[in-house]
Amino acid sequence: MDKATIQEALKVIKYPGFSRDIVSFGLVRGVDFADGKATVALALTTADAQIPAQLKTEAEKVLQGLEGVSEVEVTVSVTAPKHTPPPPGQKREVTGPAQQSIGGVKRIIAVASGKGGVGKSTFSVNLACALDQVLSEQGKPESVGIMDCDLYGPSVPLMIGAASRPEVRGESLVPVESFGVRVMSMGLLIDEDTPVVWRGPMVMKTIQQFAANVDWGKLEVLVVDLPPGTGDAQLSLVQTLPLDGAVIVTTPQKAAVDVARRGALMFGKVNVPLLGVVENMSYLEGPDGEKQFLFGQGGGEAAATTLESEFLGQMPLDPVLREGADRGIPVVVSHSDRASSQVFRKIATRLLEKLSRSDYN
Ligand code: ADP
């Protein structure tokens, strides 16, 4: 019997309500074995008193079942989460193991997609700029941030023209500002050529640090660009952050409904309300105003209906939008009169309206 075997054995214990185990969640802080006695220290952040008790019992049972173990000691240290208050009337009963609030940030919304390449990052970046424009008109300039959680392929800095390294102030990183939006991304911290090899717990830790050690200042809204997909890795990110709502970006194909449904299930598991569905790359408008529906029709609306969520709008295919993303000037900033820019502003206005209300419907 050794420490590694004990650590391995603890992997059968899932965090209540999640498909991830407590080891990969990074909750096992110490393992020791000497003279037949196995000692395990767990550390978690939760407001639910049942969870530490349940994990302690399960860990004791697992350890007692190991050959060579005659005595067991499991300690659990619990920290209460510091939540941003949920909207009035909104209950957030299920919290993840390490959810932490982000000081000074009023609302946090996640942008998710079932798969890559649907334009999720392009949407997140333009949405952040559109939110900034709408909030500036309301007398709240420079109160939007964007957190790029795609650690493997961070594209937000390129799309929003952020290139400088974040400054370190005390123990915090200061986000880089671009077009009035505060940006934090792994892309700002590592060189483009550095191969990024992450393991699940490291990804979680990094995102937790983005939440806890980035000095976001006072923000009305923080947009979180999640990595594409709806698997366990995304779920664990989602439960780490105190999200107020989520937007799903999809494409017009009918098959998109299934993918979007998986996204909704993910947010459902952590009680994060769905704010709506956006359909991207909906159509190409010719010079004569005729719309060509290159990728089929109706996927976004069908997804919204299935998920009993709001259909927030259709984003046209727009070469100017793509060029803007490639040269680091979002279309919302460079061409505010484009049809796509107007859709972004409409969605931004609607989301702010929803976030200011309690029921989100
Ligand atoms: P994801 O984040 O979902 O992987 P991206 O945001 O990186 O997708 O977008 C993939 C590519 O599609 C990018 O080159 C982007 O500029 C382009 N793109 C996204 N949305 C549109 C659109 N509505 N019109 C034209 N090009 C788009």
Side-chain angles (χ1 to χ4, degrees):
M1 177 57 51
D2 56 17
K3 290 187 207 175
T5 315
I6 294 176
Q7 177 104 356
E8 196 58 35
L10 292 170
K11 286 188 184 166
V12 299
I13 306 173
K14 302 271 189 271
Y15 192 87
F18 293 88
S19 58
R20 284 287 288 267
D21 68 89
I22 58 168
V23 177
S24 73
F25 261 142
L27 306 183
V28 179
R29 296 296 161 83
V31 173
D32 207 7
F33 184 74
D35 304 328
K37 180 175 176 179
T39 313
V40 166
L42 305 177
L44 51 144
T45 305
T46 178
D48 184 343
Q50 278 181 1
I51 292 179
Q54 183 180 338
L55 290 178
K56 183 172 158 60
T57 311
E58 281 184 44
E60 284 167 352
K61 219 163 92 189
V62 167
L63 297 174
Q64 278 155 2
L66 295 177
E67 225 180 282
V69 173
S70 51
E71 205 185 327
V72 164
E73 186 183 323
V74 177
T75 54
V76 187
S77 63
V78 182
T79 324
K82 287 182 269 153
H83 288 301
T84 43
Q90 183 90 28
K91 275 209 244 153
R92 176 102 58 64
E93 285 147 354
V94 180
T95 59
Q99 205 178 64
Q100 27 185 304
S101 67
I102 304 184
V105 179
K106 260 199 203 161
R107 291 281 190 240
I108 309 176
I109 55 174
V111 178
S113 67
K115 59 187 180 89
V118 303
K120 175 186 53 57
S121 294
T122 312
F123 175 82
S124 302
V125 162
N126 279 284
L127 175 69
C129 292
L131 284 165
D132 176 58
Q133 290 177 357
V134 175
L135 283 164
S136 296
E137 284 163 16
Q138 295 175 2
K140 296 171 188 158
E142 302 193 353
S143 54
V144 178
I146 183 164
M147 187 201 277
D148 180 5
C149 287
D150 193 341
L151 304 183
Y152 298 92
S155 49
V156 167
L158 289 174
M159 290 181 175
I160 201 167
S164 52
R165 295 248 165 197
E167 246 179 72
V168 179
R169 194 186 291 153
E171 300 219 322
S172 302
L173 280 172
V174 182
V176 171
E177 198 163 315
S178 201
F179 303 112
V181 173
R182 286 172 224 170
V183 186
M184 183 49 71
S185 166
M186 199 31 92
L188 298 170
L189 300 172
I190 54 168
D191 291 323
E192 247 172 78
D193 305 331
T194 313
V196 191
V197 185
W198 302 93
R199 288 184 301 120
M202 283 167 64
V203 172
M204 293 250 309
K205 194 102 207 113
T206 306
I207 296 304
Q208 281 169 19
Q209 282 178 351
F210 275 11
N213 300 101
V214 171
D215 183 1
W216 290 101
K218 278 206 180 338
L219 291 185
E220 287 291 316
V221 190
L222 178 64
V223 176
V224 173
D225 185 25
L226 289 176
T230 52
D232 271 1
Q234 288 78 5
L235 176 65
S236 47
L237 283 189
V238 162
Q239 60 80 40
T240 332
L241 298 166
L243 298 174
D244 292 288
V247 176
I248 293 187
V249 181
T250 183
T251 45
Q253 294 92 331
K254 287 274 193 254
V257 180
D258 269 350
V259 183
R261 191 186 293 132
R262 286 204 294 273
L265 278 175
M266 172 172 83
F267 291 111
K269 276 188 198 160
V270 282
N271 276 4
V272 172
L274 260 194
L275 295 166
V277 175
V278 175
E279 185 185 271
N280 189 28
M281 310 190 185
S282 297
Y283 54 85
L284 186 65
E285 196 168 331
D288 51 0
E290 199 193 327
K291 291 177 180 171
Q292 288 182 55
F293 296 90
L294 299 182
F295 299 131
Q297 253 175 295
E301 198 152 11
T305 308
T306 311
L307 304 176
E308 294 178 12
S309 184
E310 179 174 343
F311 184 48
L312 291 166
Q314 286 183 311
M315 191 65 61
L317 268 162
D318 182 359
V320 176
L321 199 166
R322 191 203 43 78
E323 282 158 25
D326 286 352
R327 70 193 172 110
I329 309 176
V331 71
V332 161
V333 173
S334 62
H335 295 78
S336 56
D337 53 338
R338 294 287 295 179
S340 50
S341 300
Q342 282 166 20
V343 177
F344 279 121
R345 284 179 57 108
K346 199 181 113 220
I347 294 174
T349 308
R350 178 70 186 130
L351 288 175
L352 287 173
E353 202 178 283
K354 285 188 107 162
L355 287 170
S356 68
R357 291 194 346 221
S358 59
D359 54 5
Y360 284 13
N361 289 314

